[in-house]
Amino acid sequence: ETGVTQTPRHLVMGMTNKKSLKCEQHLGHNAMYWYKQSAKKPLELMFVYNFKEQTENNSVPSRFSPECPNSSHLFLHLHTLQPEDSALYLCASSQAGGNTIYFGEGSWLTVV
Amino acid sequence: AQTVTQSQPEMSVQEAETVTLSCTYDTSESDYYLFWYKQPPSRQMILVIRQEAYKQQNATENRFSVNFQKAAKSFSLKISDSQLGDAAMYFCAYRSYGGSQGNLIFGKGTKLSVKP
């Protein structure tokens, strides 16, 4: 059982749709992250939140919009995505300033 | 910029045998962290082992141990008494000490198969 839960596990959406990915952590952490894992690229950090505040955005296109309402929840809002955005999106958490990051099981996104 | 290289796209080991997965990295920093993560078919990235660069002693976690060679910038993972459940993708990762939080730099991974 993972301390970081992601829903949905699988999502298929059209390029004109708007959808959201949800992440919840039960570890008492105060930092949360979104990563993207594509088929032929290493894992890439997208966003970092510390104590609900976004502290890092790694040049992610605006069609990806994160939201962190509290330290336990993180969303990734998706709109007008491209087929190349199809990937596994992994959420993770840690203690702020900590050096060990714990991952969820990911949400498989397919853009058609 | 730091880079992490895993030169073995795939490896295979017989159940109960030992296997070593290779990882090299490039950095000009003296303080950093190194990690091995396991990603089974469930896709969750599971932390296997962690090494702080300032520690000379190699980290161990049950059947998993590392051979950390700082001068050579090498960080290999040894899995002893391999089990069927060890079959997964294994990723080596680097993080700067005090650097951008969450900015783990991952290698491309090694797919480990375990034969019964």
Side-chain angles (χ1 to χ4, degrees):
Chain A
E1 183 177 334
T2 175
V4 181
T5 305
Q6 292 187 239
T7 55
R9 295 294 312 280
H10 298 271
L11 177 63
V12 180
M13 60 185 289
M15 290 190 284
T16 58
N17 291 159
K18 290 185 179 181
K19 297 286 184 182
S20 296
L21 305 180
K22 178 183 176 182
C23 176
E24 183 175 0
Q25 59 94 2
H26 312 276
L27 300 170
H29 291 161
N30 42 37
M32 296 188 78
Y33 316 86
W34 279 116
Y35 288 83
K36 176 183 179 181
Q37 187 176 22
S38 305
K40 297 183 179 179
K41 288 185 178 181
L43 213 66
E44 301 171 275
L45 178 66
M46 299 175 71
F47 301 105
V48 179
Y49 278 82
N50 280 285
F51 298 97
K52 304 186 299 177
E53 299 297 321
Q54 186 181 131
T55 56
E56 192 158 339
N57 175 339
N58 273 3
S59 303
V60 180
S62 59
R63 57 185 183 269
F64 295 92
S65 175
E67 178 190 2
C68 189
N70 54 61
S71 294
S72 299
H73 294 84
L74 183 64
F75 296 88
L76 187 62
H77 303 301
L78 315 168
H79 61 99
T80 60
L81 294 191
Q82 305 298 312
E84 59 264 29
D85 297 322
S86 298
L88 178 70
Y89 289 85
L90 288 161
C91 175
S93 71
S94 75
Q95 289 293 351
N99 55 43
T100 301
I101 293 173
Y102 297 87
F103 288 84
E105 293 182 305
S107 293
W108 276 108
L109 173 66
T110 302
V111 181
V112 297
Chain B
Q2 295 83 21
T3 59
V4 176
T5 302
Q6 292 179 252
S7 59
Q8 306 154 315
E10 296 189 27
M11 291 283 284
S12 180
V13 63
Q14 203 72 31
E15 193 176 7
E17 297 293 310
T18 295
V19 65
T20 298
L21 308 184
S22 300
C23 173
T24 59
Y25 57 94
D26 189 26
T27 184
S28 59
E29 299 172 337
S30 58
D31 290 328
Y32 47 87
Y33 301 98
L34 295 165
F35 306 85
W36 278 99
Y37 279 91
K38 169 186 177 182
Q39 189 176 42
S42 71
R43 306 307 290 188
Q44 184 188 8
M45 296 283 277
I46 302 167
L47 178 67
V48 175
I49 202 164
R50 180 184 76 196
Q51 175 82 41
E52 288 91 343
Y54 64 86
K55 291 185 177 179
Q56 292 186 335
Q57 187 173 8
N58 290 324
T60 62
E61 286 288 341
N62 301 314
R63 297 182 295 107
F64 298 87
S65 61
V66 297
N67 183 4
F68 173 48
Q69 300 290 327
K70 191 172 184 180
K73 298 180 183 176
S74 172
F75 184 61
S76 60
L77 174 70
K78 185 172 82 171
I79 306 174
S80 304
D81 185 26
S82 296
Q83 300 176 359
L84 295 177
D86 294 333
M89 285 291 292
Y90 285 82
F91 292 92
C92 179
Y94 172 104
R95 179 179 177 261
S96 297
Y97 179 82
S100 176
Q101 184 179 347
N103 203 0
L104 291 169
I105 300 169
F106 285 85
K108 292 187 176 182
T110 296
K111 182 177 181 180
L112 178 65
S113 302
V114 181
K115 298 179 180 178

